[in-house]
Amino acid sequence: METFKKMQINSPMLQHANYKVLAGAPPQEKKLLTVGISSVQRPHGSTLLRTLQSLFEASSEPELNCIVVLVHLSDPDPQWLSQTVTNISGLFQPRIEAQKLLVIHGHLGGSPVPGDLGSANDSSPCEAVYSRQKVNYALLMNFALSLSEYFLMIEDHVYCTPNFVSTIYWALSAWKERPWVILEFSSLSFSGKVFHSSDLSRLTTFLLLFPKDTPTHLLLSEFRLLLAQHVPIRFGSSIFYPMSSYSAEETCFPVEKEMVFGEPDNPIASVLTDMTTISDVIPQYAYVLNDECYSTFDPLRGNYLTVILERPQKVIRIQVLTGSNKEGLYWLHQGQIELGYNTLEHSEGCARYTLLGPLVRGNLDQRVFYGEDTVEELSCIRLLVLASQDSWLLIRQIRVWTQPEEES
């Protein structure tokens, strides 16, 4: 509780932070998303330019109109700063002139950081990395407070998948009316995490509250928990991938290896629905892993289709596909997937449900995580209709991945 109270007070160090704009200018109008990158000088050379190139090549002009890319060059070496800015300007001058790319350098002012954060006399390589990274991210986020509605954190050595901005946009639209703190679009320690810009002030203060030996990536999880998001919200397919790794940071920030899921293994289950069933089209078609699908018409708000597992399972990923595959028609416009626990008698579903997530343009693909105080096994998966629609609805497939027995 004391930590939460301190988070409400802006850090005096950030109130006196000093910034220098090295290239570009802040956009004149508030954007949807700031893509924030903090970059330091590295002994093996920088991949920042490749990251920026990947970012711009992966984005269409309409997508770029929704974002501003903010690069914080955090190393104080003036020669490195000058050369890096020259390199960025040479490659991305049109983006800079269009106010789509902004390069800054900042440093803290005011009182010393708790635990002598940022000191050169660190007792381990990791302490040096944690100290530098806390300050660098705090400075980056502090500058970004009023640039956009949301803030995306990526590292300076990642590839961006094509149209990643649209992927994030549609997810944000689906989650807009629901409470969340961090949406995760990658399994990397930092890259792919999206925050509300309105939370950045608290987050930057929170990062600077802790001594230098506290791992930065763990603080992000603690921040999420403090703001009452009890499990990660991570989408099933990553849209950011690492270019390379650096030995010191690899040790300090173990990168979660991208899980290879293979094909779904839908465990034995029955399927129950209160939607209108047409002739011989049975609800089970939505769950069987073949080309069959379940079709109905004019679904009503509150209608459901529930998968009732024969026995509780440690489910690790769920994918739900609605609408026709080619034409993109007949998808569920507003719906959500819920996770069920404690099966009721007579195959009537489950006694308790929690939200996994809303459908994003008719589909859902999310990892499943379990809170510390919950049973790590599911008994039901429920698709709930949130708004009536006057059209056909195709539930093309519900795919489920479970954790192999030997890994449980």
Side-chain angles (χ1 to χ4, degrees):
M1 181 58 71
E2 188 63 29
T3 299
F4 188 82
K5 290 178 181 177
K6 290 180 180 179
M7 283 165 51
Q8 312 309 309
I9 305 171
N10 287 343
S11 169
M13 292 166 290
L14 290 171
Q15 290 175 8
H16 298 93
N18 295 306
Y19 292 97
K20 182 178 181 181
V21 175
L22 304 176
Q28 295 179 352
E29 58 183 28
K30 195 170 186 177
K31 298 292 186 178
L32 173 75
L33 183 71
T34 297
V35 181
I37 306 172
S38 183
S39 188
V40 297
Q41 187 173 188
R42 301 182 188 277
H44 304 295
S46 172
T47 52
L48 172 62
L49 297 178
R50 289 165 59 197
T51 295
L52 290 173
Q53 190 167 9
S54 172
L55 187 159
F56 287 118
E57 288 178 353
S59 308
S60 66
E61 287 302 319
E63 288 174 326
L64 291 175
N65 289 334
C66 297
I67 71 171
V68 57
V69 180
L70 175 64
V71 178
H72 176 219
L73 300 180
S74 50
D75 198 294
D77 179 1
Q79 185 176 351
W80 178 79
L81 285 172
S82 175
Q83 186 59 56
T84 305
V85 172
T86 298
N87 293 341
I88 292 173
S89 299
L91 285 173
F92 304 107
Q93 190 61 33
R95 303 301 184 189
I96 293 171
E97 292 174 355
Q99 297 183 334
K100 291 179 171 57
L101 174 59
L102 178 61
V103 184
I104 63 169
H105 172 67
H107 61 88
L108 290 176
S111 307
V113 182
D116 196 24
L117 198 65
S119 167
N121 302 316
D122 300 297
S123 60
S124 74
C126 284
E127 284 193 3
V129 172
Y130 298 151
S131 298
R132 183 177 69 240
Q133 195 162 58
K134 286 190 189 78
V135 172
N136 293 347
Y137 277 128
L139 286 166
L140 172 70
M141 294 175 181
N142 185 60
F143 191 92
L145 287 176
S146 59
L147 294 180
S148 61
E149 190 174 353
Y150 302 101
F151 178 87
L152 164 66
M153 175 191 296
I154 67 171
E155 294 164 285
D156 62 355
H157 50 275
V158 297
Y159 289 111
C160 307
T161 59
N163 303 117
F164 75 92
V165 174
S166 291
T167 300
I168 293 173
Y169 169 82
W170 289 114
L172 289 171
S173 298
W175 280 90
K176 191 171 182 63
E177 303 301 325
R178 296 168 173 83
W180 58 271
V181 181
I182 306 175
L183 298 182
E184 302 181 18
F185 293 86
S186 166
S187 59
L188 301 173
S189 298
F190 296 98
S191 293
K193 288 180 169 53
V194 174
F195 305 84
H196 294 275
S197 293
S198 57
D199 285 337
L200 292 182
S201 181
R202 284 185 288 187
L203 177 54
T204 54
T205 301
F206 180 74
L207 290 176
L208 297 179
L209 283 176
F210 290 86
K212 60 190 177 184
D213 59 347
T214 309
T216 319
H217 57 297
L218 296 184
L219 290 180
L220 296 180
S221 297
E222 289 299 320
F223 181 75
R224 167 178 58 76
L225 291 169
L226 273 173
L227 296 189
Q229 182 188 317
H230 300 296
V231 294
I233 301 170
R234 184 180 302 168
F235 299 95
S237 300
S238 291
I239 57 177
F240 302 101
Y241 296 91
M243 289 182 178
S244 56
S245 59
Y246 304 91
S247 56
E249 295 192 8
E250 179 82 6
T251 303
C252 303
F253 307 113
V255 175
E256 180 181 320
K257 292 182 179 178
E258 200 65 38
M259 182 178 291
V260 179
F261 286 96
E263 293 298 315
D265 59 341
N266 292 22
I268 298 173
S270 57
V271 182
L272 181 70
T273 187
D274 64 347
M275 299 184 209
T276 303
T277 299
I278 305 163
S279 61
D280 58 349
V281 179
I282 59 174
Q284 197 76 23
Y285 285 170
Y287 187 69
V288 177
L289 295 173
N290 58 22
D291 293 334
E292 300 282 1
C293 66
Y294 176 68
S295 57
T296 183
F297 59 89
D298 299 346
L300 301 175
R301 175 184 170 87
N303 278 163
Y304 63 84
L305 183 139
T306 305
V307 174
I308 306 168
L309 302 174
E310 186 178 66
R311 63 184 181 86
Q313 298 281 345
K314 178 68 178 288
V315 175
I316 57 175
R317 179 183 177 187
I318 295 173
Q319 187 179 67
V320 177
L321 307 174
T322 74
S324 57
N325 193 20
K326 294 181 180 179
E327 297 85 3
L329 302 173
Y330 314 127
W331 48 282
L332 183 57
H333 296 164
Q334 294 187 50
Q336 67 186 32
I337 300 301
E338 301 172 338
L339 308 176
Y341 305 85
N342 305 326
T343 310
L344 297 170
E345 294 182 3
H346 311 301
S347 299
E348 294 181 358
C350 283
R352 180 172 65 89
Y353 289 92
T354 61
L355 174 69
L356 175 62
L359 299 189
V360 178
R361 305 191 79 193
N363 298 321
L364 176 139
D365 187 359
Q366 276 186 230
R367 295 283 304 275
V368 178
F369 296 93
Y370 301 88
E372 292 182 2
D373 57 345
T374 62
V375 178
E376 294 194 349
E377 288 184 328
L378 299 183
S379 296
C380 297
I381 301 166
R382 181 165 71 179
L383 168 62
L384 184 66
V385 178
L386 297 180
S388 303
Q389 62 187 66
D390 298 327
S391 68
W392 284 88
L393 168 64
L394 298 181
I395 303 176
R396 198 161 76 248
Q397 205 160 75
I398 298 174
R399 299 174 178 176
V400 176
W401 287 260
T402 60
Q403 186 158 296
E405 294 290 342
E406 61 271 15
E407 298 180 16
S408 300

